[in-house]
Amino acid sequence: MDILTSNDQVGVYPPSYYADSAQPLAEFPSAKGALKCDVCVVGAGFTGLSAALHLAQRGYDVVLLDAHRVGFGASGRNGGQVGMGQRLEQEELEQMLGMDHARALWDLACESVQKVRDLVRDNDMDCGFADGIIHADHRARFVRDSHAHAEKMRRDYNYDLIRPLDREEIRHLVGSPAYHGGSLDMGGGHLHPLRYAFGLARLARAAGVRIFERSKVLSVEETSPAILRTSEAEITAAHVVMACNGYLGRLQKQVAARVMPINNFIVATEPLSEKAADALIRNNHAVADSKFVINYFRLSQDRRLLFGGSESYGYRFPADIAALVRKPMLKIYPQLAETHIDYAWGGTLGITLNRMPHFARITGNILSASGYSGHGVAMATLGGRLAAEAIAGQAERFDLMASVPTPRFPGGVALRWPLLVLAMTWFSLRDKI
């Protein structure tokens, strides 16, 4: 089964709230015939769009290929949260890598969020960027750690945009009795991800990137120059950036052993009154909770609740996504029992075993960046920029990310699915304890 077509029609955006509320781009042509370029980028999500844009701005001749459409995958379907830091907290990174390495990764993560802010602001992207992400603890015993983390970030990293939330304040900010405390990070924020992807595509096109849609890469010959083949084209490229994330399939086995696709799901309610919306989330922050299978939610610009929750680990999406996600939504907000769900959609993201992104040099002229594990809006944008730097001969920052170990999944590509299902089942049970 092909993950690119298991749930989607080729070249047709899924019927999501994002697709219905973004000004669509005119279709780009499919790649045909013999093409040559300095760099071929595979995948037109945040990583690929950012890599192509930053390479073109450096004067490189860039071809960008996507099997479907620009922003078609996780980049155009996700929760839109632009989180600070890496996917792992600094305490975990310090233990894993040491203080100096962890601090360097923090600096990159801060830059990634600022890069998104700059791109949106400087190019007048209508993405509805709003400040603030609430971390909400669903167990009282987690609150102490959340408060200690906020204090540590202020003390050790001079980061003063995060503060603890007690039980009373979090229930004021998030109109639900489900949470016992947490933190508010005003360094992060949220946006409309598909509008952001389209904005990056417009910038890349204006910079001279040749974008081709409906151009699935069937093979990559790892030579110098590299040769990439689609059903109708052969592309010869001095360099390649693999930016496929959860939709890689078996195109590159070394990456597939470390980056695994899983499915996640989101619903959008009908538009709410200003009073009703404010009663759910005050001050238009985004929310992500402490469950292993995270619930994440925010308000759209037209005051819908966008609620993400639940995962699946096979190729196919469930038949009734709305019913699947309504269940955790109503546990947080039982007052929405009579509220209509206008949209329900799924998407596939790439995760790694330790949840840190996987940056790699496949060969001397082929780079890969993926596996953002649900933390990709900002880090994927920066990942593309770091790949562009590396191709231009400034590889230190790409190599810093690549030095973070990302282990292979046990059992290899063939057995990782059943083993992951067992692990996720255990973690889901732990969430209920």
Side-chain angles (χ1 to χ4, degrees):
M1 189 176 290
D2 184 356
I3 199 164
L4 285 163
T5 54
S6 296
N7 304 286
D8 299 301
Q9 184 179 342
V10 175
V12 179
Y13 289 103
S16 71
Y17 166 73
Y18 295 141
D20 275 4
S21 58
Q23 181 66 37
L25 293 172
E27 281 196 46
F28 293 97
S30 298
K32 294 183 179 180
L35 302 172
K36 290 187 177 181
C37 59
D38 297 326
V39 187
C40 184
V41 180
V42 184
F46 295 145
T47 303
L49 289 164
S50 176
L53 170 62
H54 287 97
L55 284 161
Q57 289 175 337
R58 288 174 174 267
Y60 288 88
D61 177 25
V62 183
V63 164
L64 175 59
L65 305 173
D66 197 274
H68 284 285
R69 303 287 307 279
V70 165
F72 182 90
S75 294
R77 309 188 196 195
N78 66 79
Q81 299 200 10
V82 187
M84 285 294 295
Q86 299 283 349
R87 178 61 174 82
L88 294 181
E89 300 286 15
Q90 290 304 116
E91 294 90 337
E92 297 172 272
L93 293 174
E94 289 172 8
Q95 292 178 5
M96 179 192 300
L97 304 165
M99 177 61 80
D100 290 345
H101 198 167
R103 183 173 291 276
L105 292 173
W106 169 256
D107 290 342
L108 284 179
C110 291
E111 181 184 336
S112 74
V113 175
Q114 189 59 49
K115 183 64 180 174
V116 173
R117 289 179 179 274
D118 291 346
L119 284 165
V120 170
R121 182 195 64 235
D122 295 346
N123 299 284
D124 295 320
M125 294 185 191
D126 180 21
C127 300
F129 195 105
D131 294 326
I133 297 181
I134 294 170
H135 169 77
D137 288 318
H138 78 291
R139 293 286 181 259
R141 66 180 184 271
F142 295 165
V143 175
R144 179 181 296 179
D145 287 344
S146 293
H147 290 185
H149 172 74
E151 174 56 30
K152 175 184 176 58
M153 296 309 297
R154 296 172 71 91
R155 181 186 67 243
D156 295 348
Y157 288 83
N158 196 32
Y159 182 64
D160 61 1
L161 297 177
I162 187 171
R163 65 179 181 86
L165 299 174
D166 61 19
R167 180 188 181 102
E168 181 180 353
E169 188 170 14
I170 201 166
R171 292 188 177 184
H172 173 73
L173 293 174
V174 181
S176 170
Y179 299 118
H180 301 269
S183 61
L184 170 61
D185 189 345
M186 293 300 292
H190 59 96
L191 50 62
H192 189 303
L194 187 56
R195 288 184 187 174
Y196 176 57
F198 286 170
L200 292 177
R202 292 184 179 100
L203 292 175
R205 178 180 58 192
V209 176
R210 290 181 281 164
I211 302 175
F212 298 99
E213 297 179 321
R214 302 177 190 256
S215 299
K216 177 183 176 182
V217 175
L218 303 174
S219 66
V220 180
E221 204 169 302
E222 296 177 356
T223 52
S224 186
I227 300 173
L228 300 90
R229 294 182 176 87
T230 73
S231 61
E232 298 182 285
E234 181 176 287
I235 302 96
T236 302
H239 301 273
V240 175
V241 177
M242 303 290 292
C244 305
N245 206 36
Y247 291 88
L248 174 71
R250 296 175 181 265
L251 187 60
Q252 215 298 318
K253 293 181 180 180
Q254 180 179 327
V255 176
R258 293 171 172 83
V259 178
M260 179 174 174
I262 66 169
N263 305 318
N264 203 265
F265 308 100
I266 303 178
V267 298
T269 68
E270 62 185 309
L272 306 172
S273 69
E274 185 174 351
K275 181 179 179 180
D278 192 55
L280 298 181
I281 308 174
R282 296 185 188 275
N283 303 326
N284 195 25
H285 300 318
V287 185
D289 71 18
S290 57
K291 289 192 172 185
F292 184 82
V293 180
I294 295 172
N295 294 314
Y296 53 94
F297 43 100
R298 64 189 185 91
L299 296 170
S300 66
Q301 289 170 276
D302 58 350
R303 296 194 302 271
R304 301 172 187 269
L305 181 69
L306 306 179
F307 191 99
S310 302
E311 294 178 346
S312 72
Y313 314 109
Y315 271 49
R316 295 287 298 167
F317 294 169
D320 192 343
I321 293 174
L324 179 71
V325 183
R326 180 186 285 274
K327 185 176 180 180
M329 183 184 78
L330 293 183
K331 287 183 177 179
I332 307 302
Y333 291 123
Q335 62 267 44
L336 297 179
E338 302 302 318
T339 302
H340 189 262
I341 290 177
D342 283 351
Y343 299 91
W345 68 95
T348 301
L349 63 148
I351 65 168
T352 63
L353 195 61
N354 64 3
R355 298 302 188 267
M356 286 296 287
H358 178 58
F359 284 54
R361 291 179 174 273
I362 307 303
T363 65
N365 63 330
I366 301 178
L367 304 177
S368 175
S370 61
Y372 301 101
S373 303
H375 194 73
V377 178
M379 283 307 302
T381 301
L382 184 68
R385 181 179 183 177
L386 298 186
E389 291 177 1
I391 288 170
Q394 300 167 322
E396 293 84 1
R397 283 148 46 93
F398 184 92
D399 290 344
L400 175 67
M401 290 298 302
S403 68
V404 178
T406 46
R408 291 173 174 265
F409 279 93
V413 174
L415 293 178
R416 61 186 183 175
W417 290 100
L419 291 173
L420 181 73
V421 169
L422 288 173
M424 291 299 187
T425 301
W426 185 86
F427 280 116
S428 295
L429 291 172
R430 192 183 71 169
D431 276 342
K432 299 174 183 177
I433 298 174

